Amino acid sequence: MCGIVGYVGGQQAVPLLLEGLSRLEHRGYDSAGVAVLTTSGIKVAKKAGRVRDLSEDLPKRFAGKTGIGHTRWATHGPANDVNAHPHTDTKGDVAVVHNGIIDNAAALRQQLTEAGVDLVSDTDTEVLAHLVARSDADTLEGKVRDALAVIDGTYGIAVMHADFPDRLVVARNGSPLIIGVGEKEMHVASDLAALVRYTTTVAHLDDGEIATLTATGFTTYRMDLSTTAKAATTLDIDPSVYDAGDHASFMYKEMLEQPAAAERVLRGRLDERFGTAHLGGLNMDPRETRAIRRVKILGCGSAYYVGQMGAALVEELARIPADAEAASEFRYRDPVIEPDTLYVAVSQSGETIDTLLAVQEIRRKGGRVVGLVNVVGSAIARECDGGIYLHAGPEVAVASTKALTTMFLGFALLALQLGRVRDLSIADGTRLIAGLTRIPGQIAEILEREEEIAAVATRLAEAESLFFVGRVRGFPVAREGAQKFKEISYRHAEAYQTSELKHGPLALISESVPTVAIVPDDELASRNVGALHEIAARRGPLVVVTHEGVDLGEVDAVRIDVPRNERELDPILLTIPLQLLAYHAALHLGHDIDKPRNLAKSVTVE
Ligand code: F6R
């Protein structure tokens, strides 16, 4: 959420900053801005809207070789030109970009106002610029340290100062910052995506660290300005994985990448000989694994819904009571943390603050947490006692697709391993391994039916309001389907248990309110079909995501048949057409697929 870039070196900073910002725009796209150090001091250009609006509107002679930039997702104050970052002090000697939230901003604003400072924006960030400017320290590092000493909250910041033109000072507490080491130049960004085109030699800042960047190198410090010995490492990364290539959007590209992502998350983790999974990263021996009495899964949004699918897998395969809970609610109900519960945090970004805080709450109370995380080295991954990396590759689109698929498969592996140290037979383990191995190909089969699904989506897009319904294994599938649909089509899409329809929501069914029903070929199929009749009797249009051979009776419905797998693994295959439905509905409505309104990737604020 929000993106930071910075540059110091021998090249003109602005083109590099703008290119970096465009790579981070999925993290916030309300407004954008850059500041550069020119021969006549700091100049700032910032604007509500997209990075392209900013670049079209840049003043002439906006040149300098040290600069910072920001793309914003508004928290304090509306998205307008004034609230856009960078923020400066009154004289314009200091410029700051900031990700995160300053919790005591209101008190600090009041203190500054009482001291005669004229605050011009509604933001929490502006106080930082004034605090840096008002520090008596001799160095920029000292001024930044003084400012941060009175701040409560989370931040990733980059600061420049007209009196210290050779450097940027950056600091991190809860909001990622990565230093990129170039040839006689240094970069900084809140995400690798903005760096990889320039350098793959990077150093991740830790929480509580400050760093100075000059053209010739970087130094890292603790908050007391004692140095920390931090070396950069060169990543083996292909920068093109951060490009959409010829695809119209990242979401589309990421949906198509699902078969390959599914193969990656499974690779090297299936043990056919013993019909189990190998998850060395969990850091648990069989004795500890057997001692688990309960599994509690925590995630937000789509990660929470796939967590519900994961809980069902754990209960079915390992026969351990399991449930999923929204991480954003968890710590506020003062949860009881049990020593024999395995807590599982699930997150694509590894940065979602609600999930991170839930992990910290559990660990503070002595619980054991493992992570299912995509981004290697992210805050949640680092905070957990062990985990499973998802290997989905970078996910840029706000609407999560391939990460979600790998999360499901990660849960299947976990459930298999937990099951096989208990009562799951080797025959069942082998059956599930065979099922898992079929999944990448079956996802590809569904994606090939895009045209047929797009035609259904175009019709659904016309409805103002829709239901997504499913039962038991199908219910989290319906929740995820509704989530994806509402996120990018902006249609009201509500998920319900099919069994609950007659207890209330059936009142809303009419010929203008379609229902997308999840009806797998399982023990509930005939009951599900009964509910379809009830919807059809109220003239509700029906789209049924099902398996070939499921008899829908006389119901007038558009059916989308997906390939069968093992029943436990079917939910992920039933989810794939729902991604295509959401995508094509949004495309038909002319929406910006990768940047849905009001949202941003990686929610790093509570
Ligand atoms: C939905 C979506 C969000 C995320 C949620 C958690 O398509 O992308 O609901 O799933 O914000 O994000 P992570 O997985 O990064 O913790």
Side-chain angles (χ1 to χ4, degrees), residues 251 298-306 346-356 372-375 380 390 395 397-401 403-404 407 480 483-484 487-488 599-603:
M251 182 184 176
L298 295 154
C300 292
S302 290
Y304 163 41
Y305 303 139
V306 77
V346 56
S347 174
Q348 186 288 126
S349 61
E351 276 178 51
T352 302
I353 193 79
D354 292 314
T355 311
L356 178 63
L372 257 70
V373 176
N374 192 33
V375 177
I380 294 171
L390 299 170
E395 189 179 70
V398 169
S400 182
T401 53
L404 184 123
M407 286 171 187
E480 169 53 16
Q483 161 96 342
K484 212 97 301 167
E487 269 185 306
I488 56 173
L599 301 178
K601 194 81 174 161
S602 305
V603 184

Side-chain angles (χ1 to χ4, degrees), residues 453-466:
I453 298 170
V456 182
T458 310
R459 270 178 277 157
L460 289 180
E462 301 306 327
E464 287 296 328
S465 193
L466 304 88

Side-chain angles (χ1 to χ4, degrees), residues 307-508:
Q308 289 192 308
M309 299 182 204
L313 279 164
V314 169
E315 281 209 356
E316 285 186 83
L317 303 186
R319 304 306 298 154
I320 304 174
D323 74 335
E325 183 172 339
S328 48
E329 291 286 283
F330 179 70
R331 75 191 185 115
Y332 292 103
R333 61 174 183 79
D334 198 14
V336 176
I337 303 299
E338 299 159 312
D340 50 6
T341 294
L342 177 68
Y343 295 88
V344 184
V346 56
S347 174
Q348 186 288 126
S349 61
E351 276 178 51
T352 302
I353 193 79
D354 292 314
T355 311
L356 178 63
L357 292 172
V359 171
Q360 289 172 346
E361 173 76 4
I362 296 162
R363 297 203 71 215
R364 197 179 60 76
K365 291 181 170 172
R368 178 199 285 270
V369 197
V370 298
L372 257 70
V373 176
N374 192 33
V375 177
V376 176
S378 55
I380 294 171
R382 285 197 282 182
E383 194 79 33
C384 287
D385 296 292
I388 306 171
Y389 276 125
L390 299 170
H391 303 307
E395 189 179 70
V396 175
V398 169
S400 182
T401 53
K402 64 174 178 171
L404 184 123
T405 295
T406 57
M407 286 171 187
F408 179 89
L409 296 172
F411 280 121
L413 293 168
L414 177 67
L416 187 55
Q417 181 161 320
L418 293 177
R420 286 289 294 126
V421 295
R422 288 183 169 69
D423 297 331
L424 189 75
S425 68
I426 191 161
D428 271 332
T430 307
R431 170 178 72 79
L432 286 155
I433 287 182
L436 286 168
T437 316
R438 290 199 299 276
I439 281 192
Q442 291 180 316
I443 294 176
E445 268 178 58
I446 300 170
L447 292 170
E448 275 163 23
R449 302 212 339 251
E450 183 185 346
E451 220 173 295
E452 161 200 343
I453 298 170
V456 182
T458 310
R459 270 178 277 157
L460 289 180
E462 301 306 327
E464 287 296 328
S465 193
L466 304 88
F467 279 106
F468 283 73
V469 298
R471 291 194 71 169
V472 188
R473 287 185 205 110
F475 179 53
V477 175
R479 293 189 89 182
E480 169 53 16
Q483 161 96 342
K484 212 97 301 167
F485 205 89
K486 70 175 74 127
E487 269 185 306
I488 56 173
S489 77
Y490 316 148
R491 297 305 195 202
H492 171 238
E494 193 171 345
Y496 249 96
Q497 289 99 334
T498 317
S499 53
E500 282 288 302
L501 277 177
K502 59 186 173 303
H503 296 293
L506 207 54
L508 293 175

Side-chain angles (χ1 to χ4, degrees), residues 81 94 100 127 158 166 230 260 293 325 382 422 456 459 482 506 513 524 538 540 592:
D81 295 356
V94 178
V127 301
D166 66 329
K230 175 154 279 183
R293 291 282 157 266
E325 183 172 339
R382 285 197 282 182
R422 288 183 169 69
V456 182
R459 270 178 277 157
L506 207 54
V513 180
L524 288 166
R538 275 94 192 159
D592 185 338

